[in-house]
């Protein structure tokens, strides 16, 4: 996707940050956009203008439009101001994304979980499929969680990249007993699973205060948040959840076993001294220390609208709707319930490109 966007679309990526470590995925495959100039917005607006398409923002799909023979001929949408939009087209592509942000589309037991993702991930097309007017088949799925979240009020941030960036400066991951339970250099999903296996109890990142200052800057720079949320978080970041002038004081603040945590960090430092690598840095128990609690958050749902091998939608009787397609997360994903965060982007690109080619070929015939 980086190659496609940079070479074909001309989008600029953040070369200063460079490629982001992806653990288990291909090297040199993930980069951040360079958002300093607003280039992405300009490019997208230019592409829309050249294509002749009409884009309606702040709108949600509320229905499909049918002709007298029951063929889908467009969609109905409702804007945030209440205006109704109706489109007419030969083909319809549903790309309404995951339903992880819609409490009505996830089990009741998951309603209290934090959500990290776009507010537009409300699964509009999935909600339609449950309506008697739109009897389409749904592949039941699950809510996917990650356990590397850090929540400030109602905003949740993923801590993985920020923590990776300060490993050599000194950080340790401990459970609520004050014990390390996994190597902090392990891949994303392995760390998340290890935290989950601590009986869902809170886990903590431990680091000296000067390391925390670097950590929080990286945390904000890699977060998927709005500018207003970033300003809010920057104003809140003078307050660390748990801290102290020493490791022992910070442990008391976090209600952790002081002696156990001190023993854990001292042994951790001993192991680093004995190691021949510089991957991990030590934590000074006598310096000001910060302790960050981690929590789980939901970021995706699996399953979706049932489609055939050409991504055509299937109706309630399992029959193909030849002019209606579903792409991206609304049509499930190739990873199932083991999908790593962000990997759905590849499926979105591939399925979208495939359907575009299918439509172009059909129109040429």
């Amino acid at each position: 996707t980086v190659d496609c966007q940079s070479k074909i679309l001309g989008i600029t990526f953040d070369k200063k940050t460079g490629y982001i470590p992806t653990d288990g995925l291909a090297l040199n495959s993930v980069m951040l956009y360079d958002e300093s100039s607003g280039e992405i917005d300009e490019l997208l607006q230019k592409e829309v203008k050249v294509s002749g398409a009409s884009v309606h923002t702040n709108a949600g799909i509320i229905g499909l439009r049918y002709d007298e023979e029951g063929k889908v001929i467009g969609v109905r949408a409702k804007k945030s101001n209440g205006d109704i939009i109706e489109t007419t087209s030969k083909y319809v592509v549903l790309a309404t994304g995951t339903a992880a942000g819609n409490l009505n589309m996830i089990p009741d037991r998951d309603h209290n979980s934090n959500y990290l993702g776009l507010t537009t991930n409300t699964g509009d097309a999935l909600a339609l499929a449950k309506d008697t007017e739109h009897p389409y088949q749904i592949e039941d799925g699950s809510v996917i969680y990650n356990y590397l979240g850090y929540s400030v009020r109602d905003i949740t941030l993923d801590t993985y990249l920020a923590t990776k960036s300060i490993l050599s400066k000194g950080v340790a991951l401990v459970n609520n007993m004050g014990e390390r339970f996994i190597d902090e250099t392990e891949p994303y999903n392995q760390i998340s699973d290890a935290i989950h296996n601590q009986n869902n109890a809170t886990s903590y990142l431990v680091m000296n205060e000067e390391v925390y200052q670097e950590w929080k800057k990286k945390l904000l720079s890699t977060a998927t948040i709005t500018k207003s949320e970033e300003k809010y978080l920057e104003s809140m970041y003078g307050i660390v959840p748990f801290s102290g002038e020493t490791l022992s004081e910070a442990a008391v603040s976090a209600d952790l076993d002081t002696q156990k945590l001190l023993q854990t960090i001292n042994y951790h430092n001993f192991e680093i001294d004995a190691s021949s690598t510089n991957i991990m840095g030590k934590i000074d128990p006598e310096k000001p220390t910060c302790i960050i609690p981690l929590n789980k958050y939901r970021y995706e749902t699996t399953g979706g609208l049932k489609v055939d091998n050409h991504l055509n939608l299937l109706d309630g009787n399992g029959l193909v709707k030849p002019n209606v397609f579903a792409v991206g997360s609304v049509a499930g994903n190739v990873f199932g319930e083991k999908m790593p965060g962000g990997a759905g982007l590849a499926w979105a690109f591939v399925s979208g490109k495939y359907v575009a080619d299918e439509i172009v070929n059909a129109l040429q015939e």
Side-chain angles (χ1 to χ4, degrees):
T1 59
V2 171
D3 289 346
C4 172
Q5 293 178 73
S6 59
K7 294 178 181 179
I8 298 177
L9 302 179
I11 290 176
T12 302
F13 287 85
D14 182 357
K15 295 180 180 178
K16 183 178 179 180
T17 302
Y19 286 101
I20 296 172
T22 50
D23 291 326
L25 303 179
L27 295 175
N28 297 344
S29 62
V30 178
M31 292 184 76
L32 299 175
Y33 292 122
D34 181 356
E35 299 181 353
S36 59
S37 64
E39 177 192 62
I40 299 175
D41 290 338
E42 293 176 5
L43 282 170
L44 290 175
Q45 290 178 39
K46 181 180 177 181
E47 290 292 330
V48 169
K49 186 176 181 180
V50 170
S51 71
S54 298
V55 176
H56 302 278
T57 58
N58 298 316
I61 299 297
I62 59 174
L64 300 178
R65 299 184 63 222
Y66 302 88
D67 63 14
E68 294 179 354
E69 298 177 355
K71 180 182 179 181
V72 176
I73 57 171
V75 300
R76 298 181 73 243
K78 185 176 183 180
K79 291 180 68 68
S80 58
N81 63 5
D83 290 348
I84 301 296
I85 302 165
E86 291 190 342
T87 70
T88 302
S89 58
K90 293 181 179 179
Y91 295 92
V92 173
V93 181
L94 299 174
T96 56
T98 173
N102 187 342
L103 292 179
N104 293 324
M105 296 293 292
I106 63 175
D108 291 342
R109 67 176 185 277
D110 299 309
H111 282 196
N112 293 327
S113 62
N114 294 310
Y115 173 58
L116 191 155
L118 300 174
T119 56
T120 51
N121 283 341
T122 53
D124 294 351
L126 291 172
L128 281 182
K130 292 180 176 292
D131 192 322
T132 55
E133 185 183 350
H134 307 89
Y136 296 101
Q137 293 192 38
I138 293 180
E139 187 77 47
D140 289 331
S142 302
V143 178
I144 300 179
Y145 284 106
N146 188 281
Y147 294 80
L148 291 162
Y150 171 47
S151 295
V152 181
R153 300 289 174 87
D154 56 345
I155 301 173
T156 297
L157 308 170
D158 187 286
T159 63
Y160 179 73
L161 290 177
T163 304
K164 277 281 187 180
S165 71
I166 51 112
L167 287 178
S168 63
K169 304 293 179 62
V171 61
L173 177 61
V174 302
N175 58 22
N176 66 334
M177 303 296 290
E179 303 167 328
R180 287 179 71 232
F181 52 90
I182 189 172
D183 186 334
E184 291 83 357
T185 64
E186 290 293 334
Y188 191 100
N189 283 3
Q190 290 185 31
I191 295 178
S192 176
D193 289 344
I195 293 174
H196 172 52
N197 291 335
Q198 303 303 304
N199 297 319
N200 284 326
T202 303
S203 295
Y204 304 85
L205 291 171
V206 181
M207 64 192 82
N208 289 134
E209 185 177 7
E210 67 267 21
V211 178
Y212 165 78
Q213 298 300 332
E214 292 188 36
W215 180 82
K216 72 176 184 181
K217 289 179 182 178
K218 187 69 172 180
L219 188 67
L220 288 176
S221 68
T222 56
T224 306
I225 53 178
T226 64
K227 292 295 183 183
S228 60
E229 288 175 331
E230 185 175 346
K231 288 183 178 179
Y232 168 70
L233 287 172
E234 285 176 340
S235 68
M236 289 291 294
Y237 264 64
I239 306 172
V240 184
F242 306 113
S243 61
E245 291 302 311
T246 64
L247 175 66
S248 296
E249 288 187 14
V252 172
S253 174
D255 197 25
L256 293 173
D257 186 320
T258 303
Q259 292 302 317
K260 185 61 179 179
L261 182 59
L262 190 60
Q263 179 183 351
T264 295
I265 298 303
N266 283 335
Y267 186 74
H268 181 49
N269 291 340
F270 170 78
E271 286 186 312
I272 293 172
D273 281 333
S275 174
S276 59
T277 68
N278 296 317
I279 297 176
M280 298 291 292
K282 295 192 295 184
I283 300 169
D284 191 336
E286 299 304 318
K287 284 187 175 181
T289 303
C290 300
I291 299 179
I292 313 300
L294 300 181
N295 56 270
K296 74 175 183 178
Y297 63 83
R298 67 182 189 276
Y299 66 92
E300 180 65 283
T301 50
T302 61
L305 296 171
K306 286 189 177 181
V307 294
D308 68 1
N309 290 340
H310 296 274
L311 299 182
N312 286 114
L313 202 60
L314 301 180
D315 66 15
N317 296 317
L319 301 177
V320 171
K321 288 289 186 180
N323 67 320
V324 187
F325 298 89
V327 301
S329 296
V330 74
N333 66 78
V334 295
F335 297 94
E337 295 180 9
K338 295 297 183 181
M339 188 186 77
L345 291 175
W347 171 237
F349 266 76
V350 172
S351 59
K353 178 66 165 60
Y354 175 82
V355 165
D357 290 342
E358 288 278 294
I359 293 174
V360 168
N361 292 335
L363 290 173
Q364 288 176 343
E365 292 176 1

